Amino acid sequence: LLDALTDQAAVAIERIQLVADVDRAKLAAEADRLRSALLTSISHDLKTPLAAIMGAAGTLREFAPALPEPDRADLLSTVLDESERLNRFIANLLDMTKIESGAMEPNYAFHYVGDIVGSALHRARKIIGEHKTDIDIPADLPMLRLDPVLFEQVLFNLLDNAAKYAPSGSTIRLQGWLDNGFVTLQIMDEGPGIPPADLERVFDTFYRVRKGDQVRAGTGLGLSICRGFIEAMGGTISAANRTDHSGAVFTIRMPVPTELPTVDDPNGEDQ
Ligand code: ADP
């Protein structure tokens, strides 16, 4: 009996190993596919602005003396804008690498969320352009313990998307409130919204919903960075569609710290 059992066990182990081998091969193939998709996407995102820079710089070198001033200024703006786009993309890639390697170390301090909303709006003012803003953040919300640089970046990315995907002249609304030990912050726009099947996937690295989105300056990195940063600070972020109007709504929830800053521990390092 023992021999028979041993034989059966050996057969079973062999089968398990076979299945494991097949699974491992499948996983390796999927990893290869993802890696090459990632490289294609990164190369595309680097090459598009570079091509624009090279084109504008080449035209300038060849025709600058003969070109009227507005055209020269336009070409120079292209060089600067596209360099800025490249710079942002590379900064995003570096942020993403930090998040994925777990090397994200927030520099905590206590801040009022309204102040950070103010500085994000200021930084995004050019991008917001013709959009209207409607801000409803009560001044008496409790302070949050967060990294102001990371938090501002999250708000900036969300404002950037709202301005990018919603029509010019529409309203971007930011509202905040306190509930059950959390400060909730919502940013909503009047754009097309996000198809329900994509609401979770928009946070994936390099995921973009619409083919047409490829023509807009974007990398598919903004929202994955938002989630990485918010989760590193102990909060959550989710996407939904508005019910009162067309448009997307992003909701951030941050826990209210249980202890406030003290003279000995102004940044809440002991928490
Ligand atoms: P991107 O650089 O493409 O904007 P994100 O990670 O910020 O990358 O967003 C991922 C995708 O989610 C976008 O390509 C777009 O399809 C969709 N998306 C993000 N924000 C909005 C929004 N406010 N309204 C509609 N679609 C959005």
Side-chain angles (χ1 to χ4, degrees):
L1 180 69
L2 200 60
D3 279 353
L5 276 180
T6 315
D7 282 352
Q8 272 179 23
V11 170
I13 287 170
E14 216 165 283
R15 272 204 202 123
I16 290 169
Q17 270 166 353
L18 267 177
V19 172
D21 283 349
V22 172
D23 279 354
R24 221 172 291 137
K26 264 197 210 149
L27 274 178
E30 178 62 8
D32 276 352
R33 196 189 60 75
L34 277 177
R35 202 174 301 123
S36 82
L38 202 68
L39 278 180
T40 311
S41 170
I42 294 178
S43 316
H44 170 84
D45 285 316
L46 290 174
K47 276 177 87 173
T48 313
L50 252 188
I53 293 170
M54 288 165 72
T59 312
L60 270 174
R61 192 183 57 185
E62 212 152 307
F63 304 108
L67 281 176
E69 180 47 41
D71 291 351
R72 255 187 287 167
D74 264 6
L75 287 165
L76 273 177
S77 295
T78 303
V79 171
L80 283 174
D81 292 350
E82 296 296 322
S83 305
E84 169 59 27
R85 189 171 153 188
L86 266 183
N87 197 17
R88 247 171 57 199
F89 179 64
I90 292 167
N92 280 347
L93 275 182
L94 291 176
D95 284 341
M96 210 54 236
T97 321
K98 267 196 221 150
I99 294 169
E100 281 177 355
S101 66
M104 200 77 240
E105 286 275 343
N107 284 315
Y108 286 110
F110 288 93
H111 283 274
Y112 288 110
V113 78
D115 291 344
I116 303 183
V117 167
S119 52
L121 280 167
H122 182 73
R123 200 178 131 206
R125 68 192 181 286
K126 267 208 210 141
I127 291 167
I128 291 172
E130 302 290 301
H131 291 79
K132 296 190 270 292
T133 49
D134 170 10
I135 316 293
D136 180 11
I137 315 265
D140 60 357
L141 287 180
M143 282 184 139
L144 293 177
R145 182 172 176 267
L146 42 75
D147 181 325
V149 176
L150 301 188
F151 205 82
E152 188 189 305
Q153 184 63 43
V154 170
L155 296 180
F156 179 88
N157 289 358
L158 295 176
L159 286 169
D160 186 28
N161 280 348
K164 201 159 61 178
Y165 297 111
S168 180
S170 64
T171 302
I172 302 171
R173 186 172 159 72
L174 270 147
Q175 59 186 33
W177 67 89
L178 175 68
D179 79 275
N180 277 325
F182 286 84
V183 166
T184 301
L185 194 63
Q186 278 190 331
I187 164 161
M188 45 182 92
D189 61 55
E190 297 178 347
I194 296 169
D198 291 313
L199 285 171
E200 207 23 58
R201 299 186 67 186
V202 289
F203 293 100
D204 290 352
T205 312
F206 292 111
Y207 190 75
R208 309 195 76 194
V209 174
R210 287 161 287 260
K211 278 255 176 305
D213 290 346
Q214 301 299 345
V215 298
R216 293 165 194 258
T219 58
L221 281 175
L223 289 178
S224 39
I225 288 173
C226 288
R227 180 164 273 175
F229 282 4
I230 290 292
E231 289 181 351
M233 293 184 281
T236 59
I237 179 168
S238 57
N241 285 306
R242 294 175 68 163
T243 48
D244 59 327
H245 199 287
S246 79
V249 44
F250 287 86
T251 305
I252 298 173
R253 271 166 67 80
M254 292 292 293
V256 173
T258 44
E259 277 169 49
L260 281 173
T262 59
V263 177
D264 295 336
D265 182 23
N267 296 328
E269 305 295 349
D270 295 343
Q271 289 200 18

